[in-house]
């Protein structure tokens, strides 16, 4: 990759990060909340590199499949609720000065709701550690979610579909 290509890539990621920053922050906060609920220790603050496609929350290794699944899907639950709330409030306010930022926030939350490939990295492993009797159910939950996230661009496309479903007409 040439220096020019690297610079263009960095510029793209910086613009993308600035555009959807509230959604990224909410996504990582959802992981933090899930870690707290599951009793998983967080090992520092979340990281965001505005010049790359990465944001993360560093936490201890998760051994429990239910905790791992909760941490992986927490942004989908939280960001979807935040998007619904923002889209519900926007038409209720009488001022475009308030409504436009609410629509933007709703879009930010919807676009960043889906788990990333890193969010599902250990799901198959923790599903495999379930007792033999419930292991197939764990794999039935983990495999499609993991497969979805390893497809490049899937979270972004799904976020766009979610946005289109949630945005009021």
């Amino acid at each position: 990759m040439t220096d020019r290509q690297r610079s263009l890539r960095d510029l793209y990621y910086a613009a993308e990060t600035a555009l959807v920053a509230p959604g990224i922050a909410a996504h990582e906060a959802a992981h933090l909340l899930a870690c707290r609920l599951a009793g998983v220790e967080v090992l520092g603050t979340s990281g965001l590199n505005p010049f790359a496609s990465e944001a993360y929350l560093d936490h201890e290794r998760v051994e429990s499949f239910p905790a791992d699944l909760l941490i992986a899907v927490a942004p989908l639950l939280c960001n979807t609720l935040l998007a619904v709330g923002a889209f519900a409030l926007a038409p209720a306010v009488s001022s475009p000065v308030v409504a436009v930022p609410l629509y933007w926030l709703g879009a930010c939350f919807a676009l960043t709701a889906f788990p990333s490939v890193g969010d599902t990295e250990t799901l198959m492993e923790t599903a495999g550690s379930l007792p033999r009797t419930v292991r197939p159910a764990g794999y039935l939950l983990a495999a499609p979610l993991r497969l979805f996230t390893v497809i490049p661009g899937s979270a972004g496309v799904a976020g766009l579909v979610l946005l289109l479903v949630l945005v009021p007409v």
Side-chain angles (χ1 to χ4, degrees), residues 12 24 30 33 50 53 104 108 111 116 118-119 129 132 135 139-141 153 158 160-161 169:
Y12 167 79
I24 296 169
L33 176 62
S53 65
W104 169 68
C108 290
L111 289 169
S116 68
D119 295 342
S129 68
R132 194 169 42 97
R135 193 174 304 148
Y139 283 132
L140 281 173
L141 291 170
L160 181 60
V161 170
V169 180

Side-chain angles (χ1 to χ4, degrees), residues 22-104:
I24 296 169
H27 182 107
E28 297 308 319
H31 287 309
L32 177 63
L33 176 62
C35 284
R36 298 279 190 246
L37 290 173
V40 173
E41 184 180 347
V42 175
L43 306 173
T45 60
S46 59
L48 171 64
N49 181 351
F51 300 106
S53 65
E54 57 196 38
Y56 60 90
L57 178 73
D58 194 18
H59 57 76
E60 71 181 349
R61 182 167 176 76
V62 179
E63 303 293 333
S64 159
F65 177 71
D68 201 11
L69 183 63
L70 175 65
I71 293 166
V73 300
L76 180 58
L77 303 171
C78 292
N79 280 33
T80 300
L81 287 173
L82 289 169
V84 167
F87 287 137
L89 283 175
V93 298
S94 59
S95 169
V97 173
V98 178
V100 170
L102 285 171
Y103 283 120
W104 169 68

